[in-house]
Amino acid sequence: MTSSDTPPPEPERRPAAPSGDQRASRQHGGELDELRRRVNELEGARHAPRHWLRALGSVLLIILASVLALLAVVAVWANSIIRDTDRYVATVAPLASDPDVQEAVTNRVTDVVLQQIDVDALVAELSKAASQEGVPPRVASLIGDLSGPITSGLKELVSTTVMRVVSSSAFEKAWTNANRRAHNAVDKALTGTSDSVVTLKNDQVAIDVGPIVAQVKDRLVDAGFGAAAKIPEVHTDFVVIEGKDVGEIKSYLRVLQIIGNWLPIVAVLIAAAGVFLASHRRRALIGAALGVFAAMVVLGVCLAVFRAVYLDHLPPGTNSDAAGDVYDALVRFLRSSLRAVGALALVTALGAFLVGPSRVAVFTRSFCRRGIGAGRDVAASAGLRLGAVGRFVHRFKRWIGALILAVAAVVLFTWSYPTTMVVIWTAVIVLAAFAIREFLDAPAS
């Protein structure tokens, strides 16, 4: 007879059948889920047109802001050239030391001086002087055939003298002072109503180089060329800009100069409205920044294309190298401005991307946060105690970040003419400020 301490297995129990109340509850729950699903579909269908309209409105505002940003950069440049004397002088001053411009001025002044010297009268005077000195008649007659060599020699002498004047530091100083005195006439020159040193007539922007002729005259006299003393006072123009479209361009610049103070503000407000209207504002901010960057690229391409078109339409005989250098000097600050705005747009787009939920953004933020946190822990182990400062920064962390961005925006908007380096250094300082904020964020210390 065998026995076991193990109790016999209990018979398998089947789960109790749900009661009527439980079945009704499950049925009602399923129906409730189905109703919720249908309500969500209806809500989505009802709000779809609204989201579509918001997205369309946001896109249109951002595109408009990008176009206005392009015009704003040109407007600020035109406004600075007309109203800011120092800016205008800084624009045209380098032309005095440009080799191509110096060569063009030399050729122009040389031609004017030679036109004032009567070579035939000079040859006749030499022949008469030779006869009075008892030179044989045959030799005296040969002197009358020297008009060609004399003309060539005079041209060489005058050209050398003019080049010495133009390449001297005195010419650079005179050029700068003349343009500074003439700046008040620039506004009238762009409207075609000035008869001062800077003029616009016959689709030309020209500068009177008569004072250079006077300096050349004095130097020739000092060098022993007495015939130069008979050169009268001459006023002649050195053409800075020439082309059939100058008259039309000056009208556009005049309009941009009038609205130059307000157009940048309008562009920023319209871009902000486009971002605010969007459903995904961070993405809209990235789109607006990239739109402004694309507008700056388009402006740069337009400047390059217009330069080629302008040089192709120069009148025959014009020094194209000097004309190209003049064009580059006039748009130098415009190019600097578009690079600065483009850099600011890229920095803004990158910042908006790094605060997003993408893996790269999350990894970058985590990496920086952990690195700064490790540095803070090392400092704490060395005896650093943040105390109330850490608690204050932790409590108002977002407000401090907003204040940093606001200060950076004020700096960039109040800077007279920010360059690319100003934008880059501002971004570096902002990053350093955020790093300090993260380091001081220690609520438990």
Side-chain angles (χ1 to χ4, degrees):
M1 179 177 171
T2 62
S3 63
S4 175
D5 296 333
T6 302
E10 296 182 359
E12 183 179 356
R13 295 183 179 179
R14 297 181 178 178
S19 63
D21 293 340
Q22 291 176 338
R23 287 195 299 268
S25 177
R26 292 180 181 178
Q27 182 178 2
H28 291 162
E31 293 177 354
L32 182 59
D33 292 340
E34 179 66 18
L35 288 175
R36 287 175 177 171
R37 184 183 65 81
R38 293 183 178 181
V39 168
N40 290 333
E41 291 179 354
L42 292 175
E43 288 290 333
R46 185 168 63 88
H47 289 292
R50 183 182 303 174
H51 290 309
W52 181 80
L53 291 176
R54 289 181 60 183
L56 179 61
S58 175
V59 170
L60 293 178
L61 288 176
I62 288 174
I63 293 176
L64 178 60
S66 301
V67 175
L68 291 180
L70 185 152
L71 296 177
V73 172
V74 180
V76 171
W77 167 77
N79 196 32
S80 65
I81 291 296
I82 294 174
R83 304 188 64 180
D84 192 337
T85 302
D86 294 334
R87 186 75 162 182
Y88 170 75
V89 172
T91 299
V92 299
L95 293 175
S97 57
D98 185 272
D100 294 324
V101 174
Q102 289 179 348
E103 181 182 356
V105 173
T106 299
N107 295 335
R108 177 60 180 160
V109 174
T110 300
D111 293 340
V112 172
V113 172
L114 291 177
Q115 290 174 3
Q116 305 302 320
I117 298 176
D118 191 348
V119 178
D120 295 334
L122 181 61
V123 171
E125 184 178 350
L126 289 175
S127 300
K128 181 179 180 181
S131 300
Q132 293 176 353
E133 294 294 333
V135 176
R138 184 175 180 182
V139 176
S141 64
L142 290 176
I143 295 177
D145 298 331
L146 295 178
S147 60
I150 291 177
T151 301
S152 178
L154 281 177
K155 184 175 183 181
E156 182 68 22
L157 173 63
V158 173
S159 177
T160 302
T161 305
V162 174
M163 178 56 72
R164 290 176 181 174
V165 173
V166 171
S167 60
S168 65
S169 59
F171 171 71
E172 295 183 7
K173 184 177 180 180
W175 175 276
T176 301
N177 292 336
N179 279 281
R180 184 176 293 277
R181 291 193 304 268
H183 179 260
N184 292 331
V186 173
D187 189 5
K188 295 181 179 180
L190 290 178
T191 58
T193 59
S194 174
D195 55 356
S196 185
V197 179
V198 179
T199 61
L200 193 153
K201 56 185 178 181
N202 299 325
D203 291 334
Q204 294 178 344
V205 177
I207 295 178
D208 183 13
V209 292
I212 303 177
V213 177
Q215 293 184 29
V216 173
K217 171 185 174 180
D218 295 337
R219 291 211 177 191
L220 290 175
V221 173
D222 294 339
F225 185 59
K230 299 179 180 180
I231 298 176
E233 183 179 355
V234 178
H235 292 279
T236 184
D237 294 334
F238 172 71
V239 178
V240 177
I241 301 177
E242 183 173 7
K244 62 180 181 180
D245 297 328
V246 172
E248 184 178 356
I249 293 173
K250 70 173 178 62
S251 301
Y252 296 150
L253 290 180
R254 180 62 175 166
V255 174
L256 291 176
Q257 183 262 331
I258 294 174
I259 63 177
N261 293 330
W262 297 103
L263 198 55
I265 300 175
V266 172
V268 171
L269 292 178
I270 292 178
V275 172
F276 179 79
L277 185 62
S279 300
H280 302 283
R281 292 173 181 171
R282 185 185 60 83
R283 296 179 183 177
L285 178 59
I286 295 176
L290 294 180
V292 173
F293 176 77
M296 296 303 103
V297 173
V298 171
L299 178 57
V301 173
C302 290
L303 290 178
V305 172
F306 182 78
R307 184 182 190 276
V309 173
Y310 165 68
L311 295 180
D312 288 340
H313 288 76
L314 290 175
T318 305
N319 189 326
S320 59
D321 293 333
D325 293 340
V326 170
Y327 177 87
D328 293 335
L330 292 176
V331 301
R332 178 166 61 96
F333 287 117
L334 178 57
R335 285 173 172 160
S336 177
S337 298
L338 71 89
R339 293 191 190 104
V341 175
L344 179 60
L346 284 182
V347 169
T348 303
L350 181 61
F353 171 78
L354 290 178
V355 299
S358 66
R359 292 184 178 181
V360 175
V362 172
F363 172 79
T364 303
R365 293 198 305 269
S366 300
F367 180 81
C368 295
R369 188 179 296 112
R370 290 176 182 178
I372 296 173
R376 183 175 58 243
D377 294 340
V378 172
S381 63
L384 177 65
R385 296 294 181 266
L386 296 176
V389 174
R391 292 190 295 271
F392 176 83
V393 172
H394 181 76
R395 181 178 180 183
F396 299 101
K397 187 174 182 179
R398 291 192 174 184
W399 287 102
I400 294 174
L403 179 62
I404 293 173
L405 295 177
V407 171
V410 171
V411 169
L412 290 176
F413 273 97
T414 56
W415 199 289
S416 297
Y417 303 107
T419 62
T420 304
M421 293 306 301
V422 171
V423 174
I424 293 176
W425 276 110
T426 302
V428 170
I429 294 174
V430 168
L431 290 177
F434 273 98
I436 295 174
R437 184 196 67 164
E438 186 65 30
F439 181 85
L440 297 177
D441 181 16
S445 61

